[in-house]
Amino acid sequence: MMAAARMLRRGQSRATGVGSWGNGEEPAPPGNQEVAAESRKSHRPVKRQRKAQRLHVAYEDSHGEKSEGAEPLAVTVWEPQDWCQQLANIRTMRNRKDAPVDQLGAEHCCDPSAPPKVQRYQVLLALMLSSQTKDQVTAGAMQRLRAQGLTVNRILQTDDNTLGKLIYPVGFWRSKVKFIKQTSAILQQRYDGDIPASLAELVALPGVGPKMAHLAMAVAWGTVSGIAVDTHVHRIANRLRWTRRMTKSPEETRAALEEWLPRELWHEINGLLVGFGQQICLPIHPRCQACLNQALCPAAQSL
């Protein structure tokens, strides 16, 4: 009897006790379905909410104008240290335009009174002769050729022995006789005596390299197709560290320069650096004491 009374009091206490709900009543015990649902929820992994990130994209419309609200994409382009000041100093040192290239370059070797097509052919031949040859020697050979009549037909009518005597002593004159004859025949057959107006076609001609082709495009056609790099430009660009790493050939130097040098400067670099290399930045015993870039030139610091 006493045990039954204790059990009765325990049941009343559970039914009427004040719990954490604060209203003196406990909710009814959950049913079987609710218990199962709670069990499933407790075993589900907790998903973390990802913080939304805004992606800013810069784009252009069909008219080449940037859309409003777009942020420009930042592109990092390597460029040499102090190159602007170095270039300004070279321009100052070259302001008299009295180097051999300024008076005897390919553009000065053609006959200004000849028809445009003939002038372009003469420019190309001057460039072919100039390889591994000083400007004074090239200019002398061009004078002798012009005295004989320098046209495609005239060259094709000249025998190899006579042509060799006319261009001697340009470097590799025997090979150049062959190349001049082959190129002249191609120009007569395919281009009506004119020279090609594209870089690819110029480079395809016998004896015409990339430097000659770029200069021919600039001088003969007035088109800047790339930087013309010869031994002078190649040497000076490496001395000034205008290439990210030391280059081993003029073509490698051209590609390295075109990666960073603004395109509007391409047309002047060849003549500017060639004259500078002929007068001050010589291949052997450069005249660093007379150079305005002595304090800025990495090569000068090691000499």
Side-chain angles (χ1 to χ4, degrees), residues 48-296:
R48 296 181 179 178
Q49 292 185 350
R50 294 182 179 178
K51 185 178 179 181
Q53 296 181 352
R54 296 184 63 186
L55 179 62
H56 298 280
V57 179
Y59 60 93
E60 295 183 354
D61 58 21
S62 58
H63 300 288
E65 298 179 356
K66 290 185 178 180
S67 300
E68 295 183 2
E71 296 180 1
L73 295 175
V75 179
T76 302
V77 178
W78 176 89
E79 61 181 29
Q81 184 179 4
D82 299 322
W83 75 270
C84 286
Q85 186 59 54
Q86 292 168 340
L87 180 61
N89 289 340
I90 294 174
R91 286 185 179 131
T92 300
M93 291 182 281
R94 292 276 290 115
N95 60 4
R96 290 185 296 180
K97 300 290 183 183
D98 54 358
V101 69
D102 298 315
Q103 308 299 326
L104 304 173
E107 65 271 28
H108 302 291
C109 290
C110 64
D111 182 1
S113 63
K117 183 166 67 174
V118 175
Q119 289 188 44
R120 289 191 287 268
Y121 173 69
Q122 293 180 358
V123 165
L124 181 62
L125 254 62
L127 291 170
M128 294 176 69
L129 293 173
S130 69
S131 176
Q132 302 294 316
T133 305
K134 291 185 176 181
D135 288 335
Q136 297 89 332
V137 177
T138 300
M142 287 296 295
Q143 286 181 347
R144 293 188 292 274
L145 288 172
R146 285 172 53 185
Q148 300 293 318
L150 187 49
T151 63
V152 170
N153 291 333
R154 183 65 176 170
I155 289 296
L156 291 176
Q157 293 170 1
T158 303
D159 62 83
D160 291 1
N161 185 55
T162 300
L163 183 57
K165 290 179 180 178
L166 290 172
I167 67 173
Y168 181 85
V170 300
F172 305 100
W173 62 272
R174 290 185 177 87
S175 296
K176 290 178 181 178
V177 166
K178 179 180 64 175
F179 291 146
I180 288 173
K181 281 294 192 70
Q182 291 174 345
T183 291
S184 297
I186 292 173
L187 298 182
Q188 184 187 57
Q189 296 167 5
R190 302 181 187 176
Y191 301 97
D192 191 29
D194 207 342
I195 71 172
S198 74
L199 184 70
E201 291 175 293
L202 283 167
V203 173
L205 295 173
V208 178
K211 180 208 76 172
M212 304 176 203
H214 285 300
L215 284 175
M217 289 296 296
V219 176
W221 294 110
T223 300
V224 178
S225 58
I227 300 175
V229 178
D230 65 352
T231 56
H232 292 291
V233 179
H234 172 64
R235 177 180 71 254
I236 295 169
N238 278 278
R239 284 180 176 176
L240 292 176
R241 302 297 189 268
W242 278 11
T243 57
R244 187 175 300 193
R245 58 188 62 84
M246 298 297 286
T247 55
K248 298 181 180 180
S249 68
E251 261 303 275
E252 189 179 350
T253 301
R254 179 192 63 78
L257 289 174
E258 290 180 359
E259 285 182 356
W260 67 268
L261 189 67
R263 192 178 182 90
E264 60 268 20
L265 300 178
W266 290 8
H267 73 283
E268 69 170 322
I269 286 298
N270 179 267
L272 199 64
L273 296 189
V274 168
F276 179 58
Q278 290 175 337
Q279 294 181 310
I280 296 178
C281 197
L282 306 176
I284 302 175
H285 305 305
R287 299 169 182 169
C288 296
Q289 297 298 328
C291 182
L292 298 179
N293 284 327
Q294 184 178 14
L296 300 175

